[in-house]
Amino acid sequence: MGVTVNPTVSRRRLGSELRRLREVSGMTTQQVAERLLISQPKISLLENGHRLIKPRDVRDLCALYGVQDQRRVDHLMQLARESGQQGWWNSYGDISYGAYIGLEAAAAAIRSYEPMVIPGLLQTPAYAQAVIAGTIPHATAEQAATRLQVRLRRQSRLGAPRNPLRLWVVLDESALRRVVGGCEVMREQLDHLIHLSARPHITLQVLPHDVGAHPGVSGQFALLEFADATDVSVVYLERFTSDLYLEKRSDVRRYSDMYAHLQTQALGPDRTRHFLDDVVKTYGGTEFCPDLYRSGHGVQRVQEPCPSMS
């Protein structure tokens, strides 16, 4: 059986190695750009793992940096070849967050804070379908179906027989109270969370409303950590138009400290399961039923609460 190649990781490792070689040579990115007749931003993108590089360009850079070890040159050229391969997510077409999927697929551990919705790795199919429909209202039926397939396939990391993803999640209470898809969907989703939280490699904590202000009020973030010591940890910030990836050690340290504070303020895993049990009961047994009414300001949507929540 062949070794599975993750092009995102290969590109990041290659960029990191090229940056290290340049720094050892004493050259600046501007000097490298002038010698190779390319733009300085291109050098920065290559070193940050945000741009593909051809094997022959790697060879030219190694020559410029004075690398004498041919085995090392061959290794870096092989990383360049691997970085140009396709990840499994590419078979689904143009996925806007493909870079994140590549990092997630290679991560050994993820620490995630979610303020508004259940994180994708823990979503049931019905909940995921409702989230996609609500957050991407202009998506075609085919695009929505593709998103759902990709999301569910990502979840395979949690059930991997060898080295399953180590996942910590701090979930704001708002995500539990926000009725996505209806009462039945929410009840199924929360039962699913309770079931998953019993797995040894998944730690779930709820941050109750009565905690008040906390370090996560500015929004969602995730910390991705990797088994290989050469792979730098990444902070992922999901945004509407373009996501952010922070790799500076100072940024990673800052978000790690924020996450530690959130974990301290959140309920422990056992209390979280009891909390989820209580929230599940509030959804009763009647389907959520939105209604429409007209006012002088146009059509507005009114969501009638589930009977047991009123």
Side-chain angles (χ1 to χ4, degrees), residues 49-61:
H50 297 157
R51 182 164 180 162
L52 289 174
I53 181 171
K54 297 178 180 179
R56 69 168 179 267
D57 294 328
V58 171
R59 181 192 59 201
D60 292 343
L61 285 170

Side-chain angles (χ1 to χ4, degrees), residues 15 71 94 173 175 261 293:
R71 289 178 301 178
D94 184 19
E173 182 180 346
H261 281 291
Y293 75 90

Side-chain angles (χ1 to χ4, degrees), residues 67-186:
V67 181
Q68 301 295 324
D69 186 345
Q70 187 58 44
R71 289 178 301 178
R72 190 172 191 184
V73 175
D74 291 342
H75 171 65
L76 295 178
M77 291 177 66
Q78 179 60 29
L79 285 178
R81 296 185 189 94
E82 293 175 357
S83 68
Q85 296 185 21
Q86 300 287 296
W88 64 259
W89 52 93
N90 294 119
S91 65
Y92 291 88
D94 184 19
I95 302 297
S96 60
Y97 56 104
Y100 173 77
I101 298 177
L103 293 173
E104 181 185 82
I110 296 178
R111 290 177 285 164
S112 172
Y113 167 67
E114 289 287 349
M116 302 299 289
V117 296
I118 309 301
L121 289 175
L122 304 181
Q123 292 176 4
T124 64
Y127 183 94
Q129 188 173 35
V131 168
I132 292 168
T135 57
I136 316 175
H138 301 299
T140 65
E142 182 179 2
Q143 290 170 334
T146 297
R147 284 240 175 189
L148 179 61
Q149 291 172 19
V150 171
R151 188 162 305 185
L152 297 180
R153 180 164 178 177
R154 286 167 51 204
Q155 296 176 1
S156 64
R157 282 296 316 279
L158 297 178
R162 294 182 179 180
N163 299 320
L165 177 67
R166 182 69 176 93
L167 182 65
W168 286 269
V169 174
V170 174
L171 192 61
D172 194 277
E173 182 180 346
S174 297
L176 308 179
R177 303 294 184 184
R178 184 177 302 280
V179 183
V180 175
C183 285
E184 185 175 343
V185 171
M186 289 302 298

Side-chain angles (χ1 to χ4, degrees), residues 8-27:
T8 303
V9 172
S10 296
R11 193 157 57 243
R12 292 181 75 235
R13 289 177 179 172
L14 176 59
S16 178
E17 285 295 316
L18 291 176
R19 182 191 301 111
R20 187 176 297 111
L21 290 174
R22 176 182 58 77
E23 292 173 346
V24 169
S25 74
M27 299 185 70

Side-chain angles (χ1 to χ4, degrees), residues 16-301:
S16 178
E17 285 295 316
L18 291 176
R19 182 191 301 111
R20 187 176 297 111
L21 290 174
R22 176 182 58 77
E23 292 173 346
V24 169
S25 74
M27 299 185 70
T28 66
T29 55
Q30 185 61 43
Q31 290 172 328
V32 174
E34 291 173 355
R35 290 285 297 274
L36 297 182
L37 301 179
I38 58 179
S39 68
Q40 186 272 337
K42 179 178 178 179
I43 298 297
S44 297
L45 289 172
L46 292 176
E47 292 184 351
N48 290 327
H50 297 157
R51 182 164 180 162
L52 289 174
I53 181 171
K54 297 178 180 179
R56 69 168 179 267
D57 294 328
V58 171
R59 181 192 59 201
D60 292 343
L61 285 170
C62 287
L64 181 62
Y65 299 150
V67 181
Q68 301 295 324
D69 186 345
Q70 187 58 44
R71 289 178 301 178
R72 190 172 191 184
V73 175
D74 291 342
H75 171 65
L76 295 178
M77 291 177 66
Q78 179 60 29
L79 285 178
R81 296 185 189 94
E82 293 175 357
S83 68
Q85 296 185 21
Q86 300 287 296
W88 64 259
W89 52 93
N90 294 119
S91 65
Y92 291 88
D94 184 19
I95 302 297
S96 60
Y97 56 104
Y100 173 77
I101 298 177
L103 293 173
E104 181 185 82
I110 296 178
R111 290 177 285 164
S112 172
Y113 167 67
E114 289 287 349
M116 302 299 289
V117 296
I118 309 301
L121 289 175
L122 304 181
Q123 292 176 4
T124 64
Y127 183 94
Q129 188 173 35
V131 168
I132 292 168
T135 57
I136 316 175
H138 301 299
T140 65
E142 182 179 2
Q143 290 170 334
T146 297
R147 284 240 175 189
L148 179 61
Q149 291 172 19
V150 171
R151 188 162 305 185
L152 297 180
R153 180 164 178 177
R154 286 167 51 204
Q155 296 176 1
S156 64
R157 282 296 316 279
L158 297 178
R162 294 182 179 180
N163 299 320
L165 177 67
R166 182 69 176 93
L167 182 65
W168 286 269
V169 174
V170 174
L171 192 61
D172 194 277
E173 182 180 346
S174 297
L176 308 179
R177 303 294 184 184
R178 184 177 302 280
V179 183
V180 175
C183 285
E184 185 175 343
V185 171
M186 289 302 298
R187 190 165 54 251
E188 178 190 37
Q189 175 62 72
L190 298 188
D191 282 337
H192 185 57
L193 286 181
I194 295 171
H195 172 72
L196 290 177
S197 68
R199 296 187 181 183
H201 58 283
I202 298 176
T203 300
L204 179 64
Q205 294 179 256
V206 167
L207 193 65
H209 284 157
D210 60 17
V211 166
H214 55 77
V217 293
S218 59
Q220 173 275 348
F221 69 91
L223 289 143
L224 295 91
E225 300 164 347
F226 306 90
D228 194 314
T230 62
D231 293 330
V232 180
S233 296
V234 178
V235 177
Y236 171 66
L237 305 173
E238 184 177 5
R239 296 296 181 262
F240 187 73
T241 54
S242 58
D243 299 337
L244 298 177
Y245 300 88
L246 309 179
E247 300 182 38
K248 290 175 58 177
R249 293 187 185 279
S250 58
D251 290 332
V252 173
R253 188 181 309 114
R254 179 183 178 188
Y255 277 91
S256 294
D257 291 342
M258 288 172 58
Y259 200 82
H261 281 291
L262 290 172
Q263 286 186 300
T264 300
Q265 292 176 282
L267 301 177
D270 290 336
R271 290 184 62 193
T272 287
R273 278 188 283 272
H274 292 306
F275 192 93
L276 288 171
D277 278 330
D278 291 337
V279 178
V280 168
K281 295 172 185 175
T282 68
Y283 284 105
T286 303
E287 186 68 23
F288 177 72
C289 203
D291 194 12
L292 293 174
Y293 75 90
R294 293 185 178 276
S295 70
H297 301 289
V299 178
Q300 298 182 0
R301 182 173 296 275

